[in-house]
Amino acid sequence: MKHFLLLILILFIPSQVFSKPYLPENDNYVLLKLPSEIIGNKKSKINILKDKIGKNPEDEYSLVELTKEYIKLGRKTSDPRYFSYANLIVEKTIDKSQRKSEFYLLRGTIKQYNHNFISALEDLNKSLEINRHDPQAWLTRASVLQVIGKYNEAKKSCIPLIGLTNEVISSACIVSSTSLLGGLNQSISTFENIIQKNDISSLSEKGWIYSILAEMKERSGDFSGAEKYYKLGLNAEVDSVSLLTSYSDFLISQKRYKEVVSLLSNKSSSESLLVRLSIAEKKLSLPQYEEDLSKLKKMFFEEHLRGDFIHYREECLYDLYLLEDVESAYLLAVKNWNIQKEPIDIFLVLNLAMKANDKKTIDEVILFIKENKLEDVRLNKLIKDFQN
Amino acid sequence: MKKIFFIILLVLIIPINAYAHKPSDSYITLKRDGLNIIGKWDIAIIDLNYVFSLDSDLNGEITWGEVKNAKQKIIDYAFNRFSISLGEEKCKFELKDFLIEDHSDGHYISLLFYVLFPENKIKTVFDIKYNLLFDLDSQHRGILQIIHKERLITTIFSKDHKNEHFDLDSNNLIKTFIRFLREGIWHIWIGFDHILFLLSLLLTSVLIYKGNVLIPERSFKVALFNLVKIVTAFTISHSFTLAIATLKIVQLDSRFIESAIALSIMIASFKNILNFSKFKNWVVAFFFGLIHGFGFSSVLLDLGLNEKNIFIPLLSFNIGVELGQLAIVAFIFPILFYLKDNKNYKLFILNAGSVIIFIISFIWFIERAFNFSIITN
C-alpha cells in the first residue's frame, strides 16, 4: 500500500519538483548562509569545544557540552541535521562514559525531537535511575509525557523539580499539566501570581514561560490575555518557531489572516510556519499563495520519499486547509492522535471525526477529554455543537 | 520582589514540533539516455560543508566559487562511497557536469555522470553500494531512483541498508511467475513438516474400515478417490489461508503457526496409531490445511514481495506448492498401494511409521512452542 501511495504521489507531483540543475550566474552566488555558531574563525562555543575535543578526544565534559550546543543549534535553526550530529557524539561515547546519566538525558532529548517518544522515555528513566537530582531530566520527561497525553504522569514528573530548581520553572512544569487536568483557571492564577512575585526578566526561559501562559489563557477563552502573553513571549524570543506556530494558530482561529502574513512572511523557511502562512495567504487570495503552496508540495514530497515521515500534524493542516482533502486529513489526524495528544491534536482529530461521523473515534476522544477533565473552550464548543 | 537565582536549563520542552524541514538526504537518479546510462546525484551543500568546511574565506557564506574550488575533493569523496558492481567487476563513472540543484531544504550540488559498464555492455542485473555520510549523520538517507522502461524503481539507502541487488527486468511477469513457481516447489521439497503431515494421512488412504478393523482396500479406484479427497481438501484450505495471510487480511504470530503445524502432524499420526478419530482423513486434511497455509505464507512473505504486484507471486507460489505436493504423492501412493497387502503393513508401515512421525513432530512442537532446542541448533 505504501508503495502504491508513493507511486500515486510520484505520478501527480508538481513539475517544479523535478526542476533542472543549473549553473550559478557567477562565483559570488551565495549557496548557503551558515549560522554564526559554526563559522570557522568565530570563537563560538561549538568551535572552542571542537578544538578541545580535537586535542583530547576523551574529554567527556566537552563532549557533553558539544552535544548540548548541537541540540541548541538544532532548536534554533530547526534543522534536524544538528540533532544527528549531537546523536553521533552520544552514540560514540555513551557505552564507555563516566557521565552516563547526562548522555541518556541528551539521547532522550534527541529522540523526543525525532518523535520517538516511548524510546525517549526509556532513556530519560535510565538517566534518572543514575541521577535523581537532575531537574532537566525530570522536566524533559514531563514534557514527553504531556505530549503523549499522559498528563497525570507528567504532573508527577514535575513534582521532584520543587527543590531542584527555582519556583518559576517547577511551577511552569506543574501548571502545564494541571491546566490539562481540570484545574485550568486555578493554574492560570497560581502561575500569574508566581511570575509577579519573582523577577523573571533575567530568565533565559521567558519565551517558554509566556507561551505556557498564553496557551492556558487561550484555552480558557481569555483571548486578550492570550494575546498579551504571546506578544511578551515573542518579544523575549523573536524567532522561536514554536511560539510563532502557536501564535499564528491563535490568529488563524480568530480569522486574523493579515496579521499571520505580516508575522510570518519573512520566516517561511520552516515547514510548520509555511503551512500557517499559506493558510492565511489562501484566505486572503494573495498571489504569493501559489508559490508557497508549491514549496510545501515539494517539502512534503521529499519528506515522504525518505519513508520515515513523522509530521502528521502539519500535513493534516496542509491537507485540510490547503488541498481541502478532508478524508486524507482525517487519516493523518488519527495517525497523529495515536502519537500526540496536545490540545491542537485533540481538536483536529475530534473535528474531523465528527465530519466523518466516525462514532468510535469520537467516543474515544471524548472519553479521553472527560477522563482528564480537559478544559478548552474550542473543544467544549465542538462537543456541545455536535451533541445538539 | 524576589530576585530568583539563575539556573541554566536547556528547556527542551518547547521545540518538539518546531522543525524547518526534512533531515539529510541525497538523491540519485539513473536512467538510459540513448546508448548510455546517465546518472544525476544531488548532495546538499550543508552536508558537504560538514565534511569539508567549504567556507574558505570564513565569512559565513558559501559561494559557488568556494564550492567549485572544492570540486575535485567533493567528486572523489562522493564516488568513493557509491558503487555499481557486477560480481567482482565495478562500473566506472565519468563526470559530465557539476551544477547546482534546488531541493526543499536548500541548494545541492548536482553531479551529472555517465555509468560505464565493463566491456561497454549495459546490464540490468547489478549491485549498488551506497555509503555517503552515514558515519557523520545516522539519519542520512540515499534516495535512489532508477528509470527503466518507463518504470520507476526506488530504493532508500540508510545506515542499516547500504547494499541493494537490482534485477531491473524482474518485474517481467513470466520471470516472476517461474521464480515463485520454483520457490513453491522447492519449499514443499525442503518443508519436511508438510511432507510428514501428508504422509500420515496417506498411510491410511490405502486401507478401509470393516467394522472397527482396517483392512487393505482392494480397489485402486476407491483408494485413489480417497487420496484425491485428501489432497483436494488440503489444497483448498491451505490456498485459502495462504492468500488471506499474504494479503495481510489475517496475520498470526509465526511461532504460533509453526507450533500448530507440528501439533497437526502429531494429531494426524496419533490418529493412525490409535484409530481414535471418527473424522475422515479429508476432514483432518482440510482443517489442518488452514494452518499449513499460514506457514506457506510466511515463506512467501520472507521472499520479499513487491506489494504493487502480489497476485502473480501468490498464484505461482501456490501452483508450485501444489506441483511439489503432487510429485510427492505420485511417488508415495503407488508404493503404499503395492505394500498394503503385505501382512506386516499395519504393524511396520502404518503403526511404526506413525510412531516415528509422532516422535519427530512432538520434538518439533516442544522446540517451536517453548523455543527450546532438542535436536536442532
Side-chain angles (χ1 to χ4, degrees), chain B residues 109-356:
Chain B
I109 61 131
S110 192
L111 303 170
L112 303 183
F113 59 93
Y114 292 112
V115 181
L116 309 174
F117 280 84
E119 296 165 24
N120 256 338
K121 284 180 192 153
I122 294 176
K123 298 283 190 270
T124 54
V125 182
F126 46 78
D127 290 279
I128 291 188
K129 275 191 184 171
Y130 178 98
N131 197 15
L132 190 82
L133 287 165
F134 296 137
D135 52 336
L136 301 174
D137 184 341
S138 58
Q139 289 209 74
H140 176 75
R141 300 284 183 274
I143 296 164
L144 173 78
Q145 300 193 307
I146 301 176
I147 299 164
H148 178 70
K149 294 180 184 164
E150 320 269 302
R151 273 194 313 128
L152 185 66
I153 299 151
T154 302
T155 296
I156 317 286
F157 291 103
S158 67
K159 200 172 171 234
D160 304 317
H161 175 210
K162 294 175 184 168
N163 308 317
E164 174 90 14
H165 175 74
F166 289 89
D167 182 352
L168 300 185
D169 289 319
S170 70
N171 216 31
N172 182 316
L173 291 184
I174 294 166
K175 267 193 172 179
T176 309
F177 189 90
I178 292 170
R179 177 181 165 218
F180 283 94
L181 188 77
R182 282 160 100 173
E183 292 288 355
I185 296 171
W186 181 239
H187 177 64
I188 276 289
W189 278 95
I190 59 164
F192 209 47
D193 40 7
H194 307 298
I195 298 176
L196 284 193
F197 178 73
L198 268 177
L199 186 62
S200 306
L201 299 178
L202 294 187
L203 287 174
T204 51
S205 66
V206 290
L207 305 174
I208 187 171
Y209 274 104
K210 192 164 188 182
N212 269 338
V213 186
L214 276 169
I215 56 159
E217 171 58 62
R218 292 273 149 233
S219 157
F220 184 76
K221 249 189 183 172
V222 174
L224 188 67
F225 186 61
N226 271 340
L227 172 79
V228 170
K229 276 197 293 187
I230 293 168
V231 171
T232 310
F234 187 56
T235 301
I236 290 172
S237 63
H238 75 224
S239 301
F240 173 70
T241 44
L242 168 62
I244 61 167
T246 308
L247 298 170
K248 297 184 178 161
I249 298 167
V250 177
Q251 284 174 293
L252 296 178
D253 177 62
S254 69
R255 190 161 142 205
F256 170 78
I257 295 161
E258 291 302 313
S259 313
I261 288 175
L263 189 67
S264 72
I265 308 166
M266 278 168 65
I267 294 171
S269 52
F270 196 65
K271 176 179 171 294
N272 289 347
I273 301 165
L274 293 190
N275 289 335
F276 74 96
S277 175
K278 291 270 178 241
F279 288 116
K280 302 275 187 207
N281 273 351
W282 71 266
V283 178
V284 176
F286 183 85
F287 182 73
F288 288 118
L290 294 170
I291 291 159
H292 285 248
F294 281 105
F296 295 140
S297 166
S298 67
V299 174
L300 180 56
L301 289 171
D302 281 347
L303 292 170
L305 290 183
N306 181 338
E307 290 182 29
K308 273 181 279 181
N309 190 0
I310 213 161
F311 179 73
I312 295 289
L314 181 60
L315 180 72
S316 53
F317 183 81
N318 203 347
I319 294 174
V321 167
E322 309 322 333
L323 289 177
Q325 177 184 297
L326 277 179
I328 292 166
V329 169
F331 177 73
I332 293 174
F333 181 73
I335 298 174
L336 293 179
F337 192 79
Y338 174 76
L339 291 175
K340 71 176 192 316
D341 294 323
N342 190 305
K343 59 179 189 242
N344 291 325
Y345 180 86
K346 267 175 71 181
L347 181 64
F348 286 121
I349 309 277
L350 177 64
N351 290 342
S354 296
V355 168
I356 293 168

Side-chain angles (χ1 to χ4, degrees), chain A residues 57-260:
Chain A
E58 311 282 302
D59 176 359
E60 287 205 7
Y61 173 78
S62 299
L63 288 166
V64 168
E65 289 306 307
L66 183 60
T67 310
K68 282 185 190 168
E69 288 306 314
Y70 276 133
I71 292 176
K72 277 192 207 163
L73 188 56
R75 282 189 57 196
K76 190 182 138 190
T77 59
S78 300
D79 189 333
R81 285 180 178 86
Y82 297 112
F83 286 88
S84 285
Y85 304 160
N87 192 50
L88 183 72
I89 304 172
V90 176
E91 293 297 344
K92 276 190 176 165
T93 323
I94 193 163
D95 286 336
K96 51 180 195 229
S97 171
Q98 303 294 313
R99 305 171 74 112
K100 275 202 169 61
S101 73
E102 284 163 276
F103 281 114
Y104 279 126
L105 164 61
L106 292 166
R107 194 168 73 180
T109 308
I110 296 162
K111 286 179 179 171
Q112 172 199 33
Y113 183 84
N114 291 329
H115 289 212
N116 287 330
F117 297 123
I118 303 304
S119 181
L121 281 176
E122 285 168 11
D123 273 348
L124 295 168
N125 289 340
K126 280 183 197 163
S127 172
L128 284 164
E129 272 167 29
I130 303 167
N131 177 10
R132 301 194 68 75
H133 303 292
D134 186 343
Q136 182 67 64
W138 288 112
L139 186 59
T140 308
R141 186 173 176 271
S143 82
V144 175
L145 288 165
Q146 190 177 312
V147 172
I148 61 174
K150 299 194 169 173
Y151 306 147
N152 240 317
E153 287 182 51
K155 187 178 81 183
K156 284 181 198 155
S157 189
C158 296
I159 305 292
L161 286 173
I162 304 169
L164 290 178
T165 176
N166 66 54
E167 190 185 12
V168 177
I169 301 290
S170 56
S171 37
C173 182
I174 293 169
V175 297
S176 292
S177 32
T178 52
S179 70
L180 297 166
L181 289 163
L184 180 58
N185 289 321
Q186 178 69 32
S187 301
I188 294 172
S189 62
T190 307
F191 199 44
E192 278 187 320
N193 278 335
I194 286 170
I195 63 163
Q196 271 159 21
K197 203 171 68 180
N198 293 282
D199 174 14
I200 65 162
S201 58
S202 62
L203 275 189
S204 58
E205 295 88 3
K206 276 199 303 267
W208 172 57
I209 290 162
Y210 288 130
S211 75
I212 291 171
L213 271 167
E215 283 169 32
M216 289 196 295
K217 286 272 184 189
E218 189 181 343
R219 268 185 280 131
S220 77
D222 175 2
F223 298 134
S224 61
E227 175 95 33
K228 181 181 98 185
Y229 286 119
Y230 275 126
K231 285 191 167 151
L232 281 169
L234 282 167
N235 278 339
E237 267 189 74
V238 186
D239 290 321
S240 159
V241 177
S242 62
L243 257 168
L244 287 166
T245 304
S246 28
Y247 185 44
S248 42
D249 282 343
F250 171 72
L251 292 174
I252 288 171
S253 73
Q254 304 213 325
K255 301 191 166 56
R256 291 157 64 185
Y257 305 118
K258 277 185 186 158
E259 288 168 73
V260 177

Side-chain angles (χ1 to χ4, degrees), chain A residues 229-378:
Chain A
Y229 286 119
Y230 275 126
K231 285 191 167 151
L232 281 169
L234 282 167
N235 278 339
E237 267 189 74
V238 186
D239 290 321
S240 159
V241 177
S242 62
L243 257 168
L244 287 166
T245 304
S246 28
Y247 185 44
S248 42
D249 282 343
F250 171 72
L251 292 174
I252 288 171
S253 73
Q254 304 213 325
K255 301 191 166 56
R256 291 157 64 185
Y257 305 118
K258 277 185 186 158
E259 288 168 73
V260 177
V261 173
S262 60
L263 182 72
L264 302 179
S265 55
N266 56 352
K267 299 189 172 76
S268 60
S269 69
S270 161
E271 189 171 293
S272 42
L273 297 184
L274 190 56
V275 170
R276 272 85 180 174
L277 175 64
S278 304
I279 292 171
E281 286 170 344
K282 189 180 181 200
K283 293 283 182 193
L284 297 168
S285 307
L286 296 183
Q288 183 62 20
Y289 170 65
E290 289 302 324
E291 197 185 321
D292 284 339
L293 181 68
S294 67
K295 264 193 216 166
L296 275 173
K297 272 186 186 158
K298 194 164 167 171
M299 278 178 162
F300 283 118
F301 173 72
E302 292 195 342
E303 271 189 76
H304 279 289
L305 265 185
R306 288 176 53 88
D308 59 355
F309 188 75
I310 48 173
H311 299 125
Y312 300 123
R313 182 196 289 172
E314 264 61 34
E315 198 179 20
C316 172
L317 292 170
Y318 165 79
D319 276 3
L320 182 61
Y321 294 109
L322 302 177
L323 303 187
E324 294 176 24
D325 181 346
V326 181
E327 273 176 42
S328 165
Y330 181 47
L331 290 178
L332 289 160
V334 172
K335 275 187 186 172
N336 183 50
W337 151 259
N338 288 330
I339 303 166
Q340 301 193 92
K341 292 181 175 60
E342 293 194 280
I344 181 175
D345 308 307
I346 302 169
F347 181 82
L348 278 172
V349 74
L350 187 58
N351 185 17
L352 289 167
M354 285 171 174
K355 282 188 179 145
N357 210 5
D358 177 351
K359 190 116 184 32
K360 193 171 153 262
T361 307
I362 297 170
D363 289 346
E364 188 190 320
V365 180
I366 291 181
L367 181 69
F368 177 86
I369 294 171
K370 282 192 178 152
E371 277 179 350
N372 286 292
K373 305 195 185 81
L374 177 63
E375 297 159 273
D376 182 322
V377 281
R378 283 189 301 159

